[in-house]
Amino acid sequence: MEAIYIPPDSQKRLIYFARQTLESFVLGKGGQEVKIEDRHLLTTGYGAFVSLHRGKELRGCIGTCFPTQPLYQIVTEMTEAAASRDHRVFPVSANELADIAIEISVLSPLELVRDPLSLEVGKHGLHVTSGENRGVLLPQVATQYSWDMATFLRQTCAKAGLPENAWKWPETKVMGFTALIIEEKR
């Protein structure tokens, strides 16, 4: 799986766009037209997840593994979605904006994995599908909870609404990816 490289200045721009999007969206201001000339933000080869945290509390996390537009547009859409459509939490409110920290995970293309236990905790994320069920967990989730790879696989299956051992089924697709994690400095 490929490692993702986005230069530090481009990472700062991406976080800046996410912050501007979050504030404009939550405050009900219209989206601003931006002219992007940074080729790293115009790439269409990466998916992205946007996670919003207030302290240690998750305030939203939504993303896509399947890019269909430039990276900066994916991040813009996922920032709005994380602030308003994560069914696990209430939408972000204006009075908490100053306390929200943004984390962007830029994802490499998914790769089918023949031996999921060979993946590396903290380096690889998981995308598990079986029938109509699918679940995704970012690499940092396994590290956050101190999971080994077998536990990470079970938890990804559970997130997909599958039995925890579904990753072993022949019809289940286990795909891996790497992520470049960009954290807002607050």
Side-chain angles (χ1 to χ4, degrees), residues 137-155:
L137 286 176
L138 300 171
Q140 58 268 40
V141 174
T143 305
Q144 178 183 356
Y145 291 104
S146 301
W147 291 339
D148 61 12
M149 187 51 67
T151 303
F152 194 27
L153 285 157
R154 289 192 300 271
Q155 292 297 322

Side-chain angles (χ1 to χ4, degrees), residues 53-91:
H53 296 90
R54 187 174 69 195
K56 293 189 182 254
E57 177 189 8
L58 178 67
R59 292 299 292 116
C61 179
I62 293 187
T64 182
C65 297
F66 304 101
T68 58
Q69 53 196 348
L71 179 60
Y72 83 93
Q73 287 181 325
I74 292 172
V75 168
T76 297
E77 285 183 20
M78 296 308 125
T79 300
E80 291 180 1
S84 62
R85 295 196 317 257
D86 188 332
H87 66 275
R88 299 169 294 178
V89 296
F90 290 107

